[in-house]
Amino acid sequence: MILCITHSKDFYNIDIFFEYLTSKNIPWFRLNSDRMNHYQKISVNENSFELTDESGNTIHSKDVQAVWHRKAWGISTPEELDEDYRKIFLSAYASLRYNLITVLENIPWINPFENERKIDGNKMLQLKLAKESGLTIPETIFSNNEEKITSFFHEFCGGKAVAKLHSLTAKTMNGENLISTMIIEEDTLENISDITYCPMIFQPYIDKAYELRIVYLAGDFFTGKINNSDNVDWRLANGDYTWSAYELPEHIKSGLTSMMEEMGLYIGAIDMIRGKDGEYYFLEVNPQGEWGMLQKELGFPIAEKIADNLLKRINTHE
């Protein structure tokens, strides 16, 4: 059995994944991470667990041979729960979820949980490993210090920078509730003192020819080029854009492969910019970033390749 950890609103990507496994007579189990609370019955001991989900389906850890950690959402709380008890509720269920996950740590995962958590939570480490792998990165500072940010702006940014949160606030790719990447210019610095309440990442603005969303999957590349060079963040284009297939240069593939292997990740959605200067700039990798639009619009078999990788590693005991 292959376990897929996802959330209750997820669709399309995982539907293709499940259909493909079913066509090969491989059993699977969908575990909605946001419902790992009072909706489910969960018991964990030192080396096993049993879980009955919100629909009454039961899974035993002994039956799980591989895990696709598709996407985890925060645990939902009951509306009737007293406000003072919510933190206790969330803490207790988060601990239960983590204990359950670690029972499975010695079987094949996409991606290994601890590797993914470390990389997803540390954009500066991402940039460090990208640079060490021969990729070009923008000058970067992650700070709440007004003076340091102002000095960085004047030294590296040539009068125009971008500022963004370490983590996006949106759960989907349609831009809803998304705090965008912001343009910072000289007059914007007058209000930069507010940064003390919300540290942000600052980089020089790159005059781009186009953006790339690259799905790396165990040495394979599925790359989409987007026609939105006028937007600072393609996720805010509200669907007013198109994708086309793109072939990366071999030296970029080599650098990305080296970086992903150093990170210990089998899959990642990588954002890069092709500058008008001809350079490829690495921005970030989201270990479980969105790629459904590439499969849907360009016909890339990403969901099937994820399943194939897990099945191969089960059979080779990797």
Side-chain angles (χ1 to χ4, degrees):
M1 177 183 287
I2 292 181
L3 171 65
C4 176
I5 301 174
T6 182
H7 58 83
S8 59
K9 303 296 184 183
D10 200 9
F11 68 100
Y12 185 70
N13 302 39
I14 60 166
D15 293 339
I16 297 172
F17 180 76
F18 292 147
E19 288 169 6
Y20 184 71
L21 289 178
T22 298
S23 73
K24 291 183 168 293
N25 297 314
I26 303 297
W28 50 267
F29 192 96
R30 173 177 179 158
L31 180 55
N32 291 322
S33 55
D34 54 323
R35 295 301 182 95
M36 292 183 70
N37 52 18
H38 58 296
Y39 290 120
Q40 301 182 357
K41 298 183 185 302
I42 308 168
S43 298
V44 184
N45 63 30
E46 71 277 6
N47 57 18
S48 67
F49 70 76
E50 178 181 294
L51 179 147
T52 301
D53 70 11
E54 61 273 24
S55 299
N57 304 304
T58 298
I59 184 172
H60 299 267
S61 55
K62 62 180 175 60
D63 298 322
V64 180
Q65 294 179 283
V67 180
W68 177 25
H69 187 219
R70 153 70 182 148
K71 193 177 290 287
W73 271 13
I75 297 166
S76 58
T77 57
E79 291 184 6
E80 69 274 11
L81 193 65
D82 186 275
E83 187 66 33
D84 293 336
Y85 199 75
R86 286 181 183 271
K87 287 185 178 180
I88 299 174
F89 179 95
L90 290 172
S91 176
Y93 274 106
S95 295
L96 182 60
R97 184 165 80 175
Y98 183 65
N99 277 261
L100 179 148
I101 284 171
T102 57
V103 167
L104 302 172
E105 63 184 356
N106 292 322
I107 63 175
W109 278 65
I110 290 182
N111 285 303
F113 184 79
E114 297 294 351
N115 296 359
E116 181 176 296
R117 186 162 73 163
K118 178 179 180 180
I119 295 301
D120 196 34
N122 196 332
K123 294 296 193 297
M124 299 305 102
L125 177 60
Q126 292 186 18
L127 293 171
K128 174 179 179 288
L129 295 177
K131 187 174 183 178
E132 290 176 353
S133 296
L135 300 169
T136 299
I137 64 171
E139 294 287 343
T140 306
I141 187 172
F142 185 17
S143 179
N144 70 342
N145 186 318
E146 176 185 358
E147 293 181 1
K148 292 289 187 182
I149 293 165
T150 301
S151 295
F152 176 87
F153 180 86
H154 290 138
E155 183 176 357
F156 296 110
C157 298
K160 194 173 184 180
V162 294
K164 54 189 176 183
L165 294 176
H166 189 282
S167 301
L168 296 175
T169 60
K171 295 178 181 177
T172 65
M173 297 304 291
N174 63 9
E176 183 180 355
N177 295 324
L178 184 67
I179 294 180
S180 66
T181 301
M182 297 180 291
I183 296 291
I184 304 294
E185 297 181 287
E186 192 71 43
D187 57 354
T188 316
L189 290 175
E190 298 174 3
N191 304 313
I192 204 67
S193 59
D194 289 341
I195 195 68
T196 188
Y197 298 105
C198 184
M200 297 186 77
I201 294 171
F202 294 83
Q203 296 173 329
Y205 178 84
I206 299 170
D207 195 12
K208 65 186 175 185
Y210 45 82
E211 287 183 70
L212 301 170
R213 169 53 66 104
I214 304 158
V215 176
Y216 170 92
L217 179 51
D220 290 327
F221 291 88
F222 304 94
T223 304
K225 171 186 172 184
I226 191 167
N227 66 334
N228 74 325
S229 59
D230 294 334
N231 292 308
V232 71
D233 189 330
W234 64 266
R235 284 161 292 204
L236 300 176
N238 294 320
D240 187 23
Y241 54 80
T242 58
W243 294 94
S244 58
Y246 189 87
E247 184 65 28
L248 291 168
E250 287 303 318
H251 74 282
I252 298 298
K253 289 183 180 180
S254 177
L256 291 173
T257 299
S258 174
M259 179 194 74
M260 294 296 286
E261 289 178 350
E262 183 65 26
M263 291 176 174
L265 301 179
Y266 287 90
I267 191 172
I270 299 163
D271 288 329
M272 297 191 79
I273 286 176
R274 181 79 186 275
K276 289 184 178 178
D277 59 3
E279 188 63 79
Y280 288 85
Y281 294 91
F282 171 86
L283 299 181
E284 64 179 337
V285 55
N286 184 333
Q288 291 295 355
E290 292 296 340
W291 45 261
M293 65 285 189
L294 300 183
Q295 176 136 9
K296 183 176 182 179
E297 297 190 29
L298 301 178
F300 293 153
I302 300 171
E304 295 88 343
K305 289 289 187 178
I306 292 171
D308 285 341
N309 181 272
L310 289 171
L311 292 172
K312 176 184 176 182
R313 289 160 60 203
I314 291 170
N315 293 331
T316 60
H317 305 287
E318 182 182 340

